[in-house]
Amino acid sequence: MEIRKQQDAEEPFQPVFNEGMYDRARFTSDFGDRWIHGFQTGGRIIVRVSITSKETASKRDIQTHAEASLRFWGVAGSFSARVKKSMGELDRHAHVDVSIHYQGDMGHRALGMTPETMERTAVEETFEQAKSWADWFVESACYHEYKYQTVLDDYENLANFPHRQKTMDYSAAHKVSYMVLKERVKISELASVLQQGFLTADLKRKINKADIEIGSACKQWVLEAALFPAGAVESAMVLIEKITADFYAKYLRYLVRHPPQCSFIA
């Protein structure tokens, strides 16, 4: 969840280019493919709810109760009786943890907030806390002044940008990077879950090694994509095939022996 304030309408600073003071061949590596037009002010908050099943619970039941319990998200007021009932069922079948991540000084105040004291299940209390953070964040919209994101613009949009100066096109690399990031996050979380299971020490070491190697391969892909963006899509597909062969094909089958864990991010 994020709040973005309208930017100042004043004309931004216009950089002046002196071609004699920089190397044209190194322009992108030295100055990037875009320039900082300004800063986006506002705030951002991420409430992550992790649900870990108990040994006797079925994945389908947990998913059903979790989806019903999370219907409160974005709805004003207190929990309905139906939602509370689903929370009670979820409490019987799973353990629920909540973590909060924020950008902006206003987020510090949210950490000190607690829901009203009343008799409730552990899950209901946890979700009440998460909802109180989110509600407070929205109600305090006018006070979020944190410069949490740069507003970038293409050099070509500048009136005085030298026409013969070439910049790299990262549009395709940017899109495919989300695919790489998605796979990296999945591997990291799967490796973490498998490390908690009843596997042999040797197998856990192999899983940990595969996780580290995949992380290094993803970092290397980023470096190569920055230098050669034209080949980013093809190299990303090769990387994803490597991830499938080195991790999913070898270790995914061990996941069925352990309680599933899912996350809800708002």
Side-chain angles (χ1 to χ4, degrees):
M1 182 184 298
E2 65 181 14
I3 292 174
R4 295 187 179 186
K5 290 194 171 184
Q6 184 174 348
Q7 286 187 276
D8 197 329
E10 294 182 4
E11 188 67 22
F13 166 75
Q14 294 280 328
V16 177
F17 294 91
N18 186 337
E19 294 185 69
M21 297 183 66
Y22 64 86
D23 185 349
R24 290 178 55 200
R26 290 179 48 84
F27 183 85
T28 299
S29 60
D30 290 342
F31 304 106
D33 63 323
R34 290 179 292 175
W35 66 289
I36 299 177
H37 188 102
F39 292 91
Q40 180 68 62
T41 59
R44 178 181 295 168
I45 186 173
I46 299 174
V47 178
R48 177 168 179 165
V49 181
S50 297
I51 301 173
T52 306
S53 68
K54 297 177 181 177
E55 292 184 3
T56 58
S58 72
K59 184 176 180 180
R60 179 173 296 180
D61 287 342
I62 291 175
Q63 182 177 354
T64 300
H65 296 314
E67 290 176 352
S69 298
L70 292 169
R71 287 175 183 168
F72 71 85
W73 206 257
V75 179
S78 57
F79 299 146
S80 66
R82 186 174 182 179
V83 169
K84 288 184 178 181
K85 181 179 179 181
S86 296
M87 290 180 181
E89 291 296 323
L90 183 61
D91 189 53
R92 290 175 49 210
H93 293 88
H95 301 288
V96 179
D97 294 307
V98 171
S99 60
I100 179 173
H101 308 275
Y102 60 87
Q103 288 179 312
D105 293 334
M106 296 297 292
H108 288 287
R109 292 175 54 187
L111 294 180
M113 297 179 59
T114 56
E116 297 178 2
T117 302
M118 57 184 295
E119 187 175 347
R120 68 192 81 187
T121 66
V123 170
E124 185 179 344
E125 184 176 359
T126 300
F127 284 165
E128 182 77 18
Q129 178 72 80
K131 188 175 187 300
S132 69
W133 286 333
D135 290 347
W136 173 88
F137 183 78
V138 174
E139 291 166 2
S140 306
C142 294
Y143 300 98
H144 297 293
E145 296 288 352
Y146 181 67
K147 294 181 179 179
Y148 71 94
Q149 180 176 305
T150 56
V151 178
L152 303 177
D153 197 359
D154 294 332
Y155 282 111
E156 288 79 5
N157 293 333
L158 290 169
N160 62 348
F161 186 71
H163 295 294
R164 61 178 181 171
Q165 177 62 60
K166 302 298 182 182
T167 58
M168 291 187 180
D169 182 6
Y170 288 106
S171 56
H174 183 263
K175 291 179 180 179
V176 78
S177 67
Y178 287 102
M179 296 175 59
V180 174
L181 176 61
K182 179 181 177 181
E183 293 299 325
R184 179 67 193 105
V185 172
K186 285 172 62 178
I187 293 299
S188 179
E189 294 195 353
L190 284 172
S192 177
V193 171
L194 289 171
Q195 290 293 335
Q196 300 171 18
F198 299 98
L199 303 179
T200 65
D202 181 62
L203 185 55
K204 287 184 177 181
R205 281 193 295 269
K206 290 180 179 179
I207 292 173
N208 188 46
K209 180 175 180 290
D211 179 34
I212 293 172
E213 290 177 346
I214 289 172
S216 298
C218 290
K219 290 180 181 179
Q220 185 61 34
W221 177 85
V222 172
L223 295 175
E224 292 177 359
L227 296 175
F228 310 104
V233 175
E234 183 177 350
S235 60
M237 297 302 103
V238 173
L239 175 59
I240 292 174
E241 289 178 1
K242 173 180 172 59
I243 291 173
T244 301
D246 292 353
F247 196 94
Y248 293 134
K250 293 180 179 180
Y251 307 115
L252 194 59
R253 63 180 181 271
Y254 295 106
L255 190 64
V256 297
R257 302 180 184 178
H258 311 288
Q261 177 169 312
C262 55
S263 299
F264 170 78
I265 300 179

